[in-house]
Amino acid sequence: APRKLAAGNWKMNGNRAALAEIDTLIAAHPVPGCEVLICPPAVLLHPMKARVGDAIALGGQDCHAKASGAHTGDIAAAQLKDVGAAYVILGHSERRADHGETDVAVAAKAAAAHAAGLTAIICVGETEAQRDAGETLDVIAAQLDGSIPDGATAANTVIAYEPVWAIGTGRTPTTGQIAEVHGLMRERLAGKVADAAQVRLLYGGSVKPGNAAEIFAIPHVDGALVGGASLKADDFGAIIAAL
Ligand code: 13P
C-alpha cells in the first residue's frame, strides 16, 4: 500500500504568527508514521520553510499553467518549488467555483507542476445537487479523466476526493459512500496511470480528530486533505496520529 499522507490546506488563513503552530505540531510528532504536508498561503511558504526545514513537506494551493511571463497576480510552479514547496493543490472546488477552473485548466496546471518537479494534488468532488441526482460516480469519473495530465505517475500525482457539500460543513459521507468513490477512483486511474495502485487517494471534507480513524480505515483511503482542523496543531496532530 502507498505511504499515507496527512495534508493540511490552510486556505486563506494564517500569518507569520501562526507559524508557531507548526513548531508545536513537529514537537508532538517528531517521527510520524505518515508523510505530513502543510499547504499555507503562498506568502508564508518561504518563512515556513526556513522554520521547518525538512521536518514536514510544504505545498502551494494553486499554480499557473505557464512557466513564467505576463500573468499579474499568478504564481508559477517553479516559484513554489524555489521557496521550498514539494507539492501543489490543484483544482480545489473553491478554485473551480471562485475562479471558474475547468478540468482542462486543472490538467494544464498539473502538467506545469510536473514539469517543475512538484507533486500535484488534484481535487475532485461532487456537489450536493449532483449527489442527490445520483450523478456522483459519473461526475468523479469525468473530473478524473479531464483533470489528470499525460505523464501522471504515483510519484508526481495525488488525488483528493472532496465532496463539495462536506467541505467546512461538519457533514461527511458515510463510510460506504467514501469507499464507493475511492474504489471507483482506483479503477479509473488504472486506465490512465501505469502505477495506479500506488497513487495516494486522499479524502477531504470535515475531517476531524473524532472521525479520522474511521475514515482512514476505509479501503483505498491513503490519507486526508484537511482544511479547518489543520490550523490547530492539536487537532491536526490527532489526525496524524490516527493515520
Ligand atoms: P474542511 O476540512 O475545513 O472541511 O476543508 C476541507 C478542504 O477543503 C481541504 O482542502
Side-chain angles (χ1 to χ4, degrees):
R3 185 165 186 235
K4 304 265 196 233
L5 174 62
N9 175 9
W10 279 19
K11 308 190 180 184
M12 199 170 69
N13 298 295
N15 52 24
R16 287 181 296 155
L19 299 179
E21 286 293 321
I22 304 295
D23 299 342
T24 310
L25 184 74
I26 292 169
H29 297 274
V31 189
C34 66
E35 188 173 2
V36 177
L37 165 67
I38 302 278
C39 299
V43 292
L44 293 178
L45 277 170
H46 189 248
M48 194 178 280
K49 182 66 182 176
R51 196 144 177 160
V52 306
D54 294 325
I56 60 173
L58 300 183
Q61 299 177 7
D62 177 47
C63 70
H64 198 276
K66 294 271 168 55
S68 65
H71 302 286
T72 301
D74 279 309
I75 300 175
Q79 294 172 322
L80 296 175
K81 174 98 172 168
D82 183 51
V83 292
Y87 288 82
V88 61
I89 298 168
L90 294 173
H92 191 282
S93 61
E94 288 152 17
R95 291 208 61 87
R96 290 177 186 262
D98 295 351
H99 300 274
E101 291 188 7
T102 61
D103 291 338
V104 170
V106 174
K109 288 172 180 228
H114 292 164
L118 296 178
T119 296
I121 301 178
I122 297 173
C123 302
V124 298
E126 83 285 3
T127 63
E128 183 157 40
Q130 288 166 334
R131 177 161 285 279
D132 289 347
E135 297 168 358
T136 297
L137 297 184
D138 289 343
V139 166
I140 302 301
Q143 287 178 334
L144 287 179
D145 292 353
S147 305
I148 300 175
D150 293 343
T153 67
N156 67 21
T157 304
V158 173
I159 307 295
Y161 169 52
E162 299 207 318
V164 177
W165 52 273
I167 294 174
T169 59
R171 299 167 59 203
T172 54
T174 65
T175 56
Q177 287 170 332
I178 295 174
E180 183 181 39
V181 172
H182 278 242
L184 168 99
M185 294 201 299
R186 185 75 71 197
E187 263 176 40
R188 200 85 186 177
L189 282 172
K192 186 115 186 167
V193 181
D195 50 358
Q198 298 305 312
V199 174
R200 287 171 295 179
L201 306 180
L202 310 183
Y203 169 78
S206 297
V207 175
K208 303 274 187 277
N211 61 21
E214 184 184 21
I215 290 170
F216 297 151
I218 299 169
H220 301 299
V221 173
D222 305 307
L225 183 53
V226 184
S230 74
L231 295 168
K232 290 265 171 281
D234 289 352
D235 286 349
F236 197 44
I239 290 167
I240 291 167
L243 261 176

